[in-house]
Amino acid sequence: MISYAIYFGFACLALAFAFNLWRLLRGPTVGDRIVALDTMVINAIALIVLFGIVTNDGVAFEAALLLAMVGFVGTVAYCKFLLRGDIIE
Amino acid sequence: MIEPGFLAELFTSLLIVLGAGFALVGSWGLVRMPTLMERLHGPTKATTLGLGGILLASVLFFQLTQEVWSAHELLVSIFLFITAPISANMVAKVHLHEERLNRSGSVQSRAGKVPRSPGKGDWATYEAPYRDTPVAMSEE
């Protein structure tokens, strides 16, 4: 039963990735692209966690945690650059 | 009689399906909504909640198969629940800033333009507030 749920989860997340990619390419403003990238990172974390369930090991969560941190820092850096013209002043 | 193992498995699958569904709805909102301010809603709320569901399912799954409680997933979800509002706030600030510079494009949201803040100043996307606004005077 769990395997069917995981198949369903992978399908949903793949579709979500396609939507995000569409928004990332389409724009129209820079803010839209930032949101799309941020959502893609969150979906990638979900994919990694699902992959960890499939392979049944806990190593994937280190990657998930790292990606969560790097994704957040990346989003804030993009926004800071657009707001201030610089990241670290 | 229903076994507890079966119940745990059912609950885990339900959480995975719900989480993936919420993530999909969040991304669909990102495609569907007219302007950036509305597009922010989907990813910040629905997608974060969906990821929370998948992480909870992972906690349950490892308890089910290896009989260990793992706290990694909780760490990830707490971190994401803390950072999602912050990054949404930053993106909203970027939107206000672009609108002030008239770079936000011609598409209008159904709610109309973003209202100006009360008082003389504008929304605080600059580091220092405008002079003579209540915020600036309260800092003196």
Side-chain angles (χ1 to χ4, degrees):
Chain A
M1 186 165 51
I2 287 183
S3 64
Y4 288 114
I6 287 173
Y7 283 139
F8 179 79
F10 273 131
C12 277
L13 286 172
L15 203 57
F17 254 102
F19 287 152
N20 293 339
L21 201 62
W22 188 82
R23 180 51 72 199
L24 182 68
L25 295 175
R26 181 78 191 271
T29 62
V30 190
D32 292 302
R33 293 174 213 269
I34 297 173
V35 176
L37 263 182
D38 193 44
T39 318
M40 272 179 116
V41 169
I42 295 179
N43 282 344
I45 296 167
L47 269 185
I48 290 174
V49 171
L50 272 188
F51 185 73
I53 292 179
V54 170
T55 55
N56 203 356
D57 68 31
V59 182
F61 298 111
E62 324 293 336
L65 192 56
L66 275 177
L67 201 58
M69 289 176 173
V70 172
F72 171 66
V73 171
T75 307
V76 171
Y78 284 135
C79 293
K80 268 286 168 199
F81 183 74
L82 284 173
L83 284 172
R84 306 286 301 157
D86 207 345
I87 296 171
I88 301 169
E89 293 172 63
Chain B
M1 191 65 204
I2 303 171
E3 300 165 44
F6 174 77
L7 262 184
E9 202 175 315
L10 184 73
F11 201 58
T12 309
S13 331
L14 204 67
L15 274 176
I16 291 177
V17 168
L18 267 182
F22 267 106
L24 181 62
V25 166
S27 292
W28 175 236
L30 190 65
V31 168
R32 190 78 177 77
M33 295 293 184
T35 64
L36 179 57
M37 278 302 203
E38 281 115 3
R39 279 177 203 138
L40 265 178
H41 289 284
T44 48
K45 293 195 260 291
T47 307
T48 312
L49 187 64
L51 188 61
I54 289 180
L55 288 163
L56 266 184
S58 156
V59 172
L60 266 179
F61 179 79
F62 282 104
Q63 162 64 17
L64 200 65
T65 55
Q66 300 176 2
E67 311 214 323
V68 285
W69 290 106
S70 60
H72 294 79
E73 296 92 339
L74 290 181
L75 210 61
V76 176
S77 58
I78 286 172
F79 186 78
L80 273 164
F81 276 47
I82 292 172
T83 56
I86 301 173
S87 49
N89 184 25
M90 296 298 283
V91 175
K93 272 188 169 186
V94 166
H95 178 69
L96 290 172
H97 197 70
E98 302 265 297
E99 203 161 71
R100 172 184 289 152
L101 301 176
N102 288 321
R103 286 196 306 212
S104 61
S106 58
V107 181
Q108 281 289 316
S109 78
R110 232 172 264 172
K113 276 188 88 68
V114 179
R116 292 184 61 88
S117 68
K120 283 185 197 165
D122 209 336
W123 296 108
T125 63
Y126 293 118
E127 191 109 312
Y130 281 114
R131 294 174 68 185
D132 298 332
T133 57
V135 181
M137 283 189 275
S138 68
E139 278 183 357
E140 282 169 5

